[in-house]
Amino acid sequence: MRKVALTGGIATGKSYALARFARKGVPTIDADMLARTVVARGEPAWSAVRDRFGDGVLQSNGEIDRARLGGLIFSDPAARRDLEAIIHPAVYSAIRAWYESMQDVPPYFAVADIPLLFETGHDRQFDRIVVTWCPEPVQIQRMAGRNGFSEAEARQRLAAQMPLEEKVRRAHHVIRTDGTFEETDRQIDAVIAGLKAISSPRP
């Protein structure tokens, strides 16, 4: 089983690419979804988040208020590091277990969408890295339309991540997402074909 990581900057089309991989029959997993699971009410990470940030980051039902917590960590680097130290170990443990469950499953590679792959220093745990890319103005425009962020808020979030060009430099495959959906699909399909060629068991 070849371990493939999908990453990139915020609003660069990772979710779209992951959905395309899945539609083409590639096993996929989403680290953001796992992050929500590991901080569900009653989980150890949930307790750790509440202890670190207080009841003010909880909704009325006791679940983590992700928007409120996000506002805190993106304005406070130390708080962001504390949150990552709580969540990331649990997420990567779940990803490792998932890959183990995928052994000997065609097409013999599986894709994990991990937004902060390089920032967390886990890139060497993967056999291939796919990065989605688009120009920074497009990222800002997408965050404004998708999340309602002001330009200042969008730039604050961009500044919290590794520069996208550095991720591109360290990638095995780059998918440019500022064109049409058809153009993006062709690039993703080409990556799938290439990964199948190097992942299939030898006769």
Side-chain angles (χ1 to χ4, degrees):
M1 169 58 63
R2 194 172 296 271
K3 299 177 182 177
V4 180
L6 171 66
T7 191
I10 187 171
T12 58
K14 293 184 301 298
S15 296
Y16 180 87
L18 191 72
R20 179 72 177 182
F21 277 111
R23 285 197 300 273
K24 289 293 184 174
V26 178
T28 62
I29 195 168
D30 184 341
D32 275 347
M33 294 301 296
L34 289 175
R36 294 173 185 173
T37 301
V38 301
V39 295
R41 185 177 181 179
E43 294 294 325
W46 175 87
S47 299
V49 169
R50 185 189 60 179
D51 291 345
R52 167 60 179 84
F53 296 98
D55 291 339
V57 298
L58 300 181
Q59 302 178 54
S60 58
N61 63 0
E63 296 292 346
I64 302 293
D65 187 325
R66 290 173 57 84
R68 190 175 303 170
L69 185 58
L72 288 175
I73 66 170
F74 280 110
S75 60
D76 184 343
R80 186 172 67 250
R81 288 192 294 271
D82 288 346
L83 181 65
E84 290 170 352
I86 294 169
I87 293 178
H88 288 167
V91 169
Y92 280 104
S93 176
I95 290 172
R96 285 193 297 271
W98 177 73
Y99 272 118
E100 289 174 4
S101 73
M102 290 290 109
Q103 293 297 324
D104 301 321
V105 175
Y108 307 104
F109 70 92
V111 177
D113 179 357
I114 308 176
L116 299 179
L117 175 71
F118 292 114
E119 290 87 344
T120 56
H122 286 79
D123 49 294
R124 293 188 177 181
Q125 296 180 9
F126 294 85
D127 302 304
R128 307 291 285 187
I129 297 172
V130 181
V131 167
T132 52
W133 180 92
C134 66
E136 185 174 289
V138 175
Q139 291 179 271
I140 293 172
Q141 182 183 43
R142 287 175 178 173
M143 280 188 273
R146 183 183 71 184
N147 307 101
F149 291 155
S150 67
E151 182 174 346
E153 291 171 326
R155 291 192 181 280
Q156 186 180 53
R157 282 157 174 77
L158 290 176
Q161 296 186 347
M162 177 184 290
L164 188 51
E165 296 304 328
E166 175 63 15
K167 296 184 179 184
V168 167
R169 187 185 69 79
R170 297 167 65 175
H172 297 96
H173 310 275
V174 177
I175 297 168
R176 182 165 182 157
T177 65
D178 59 332
T180 65
F181 288 121
E182 290 77 13
E183 289 169 340
T184 300
D185 288 347
R186 283 196 292 271
Q187 295 174 72
I188 297 169
D189 293 351
V191 171
I192 292 173
L195 290 171
K196 283 183 176 179
I198 63 175
S199 301
S200 297
R202 294 181 179 179

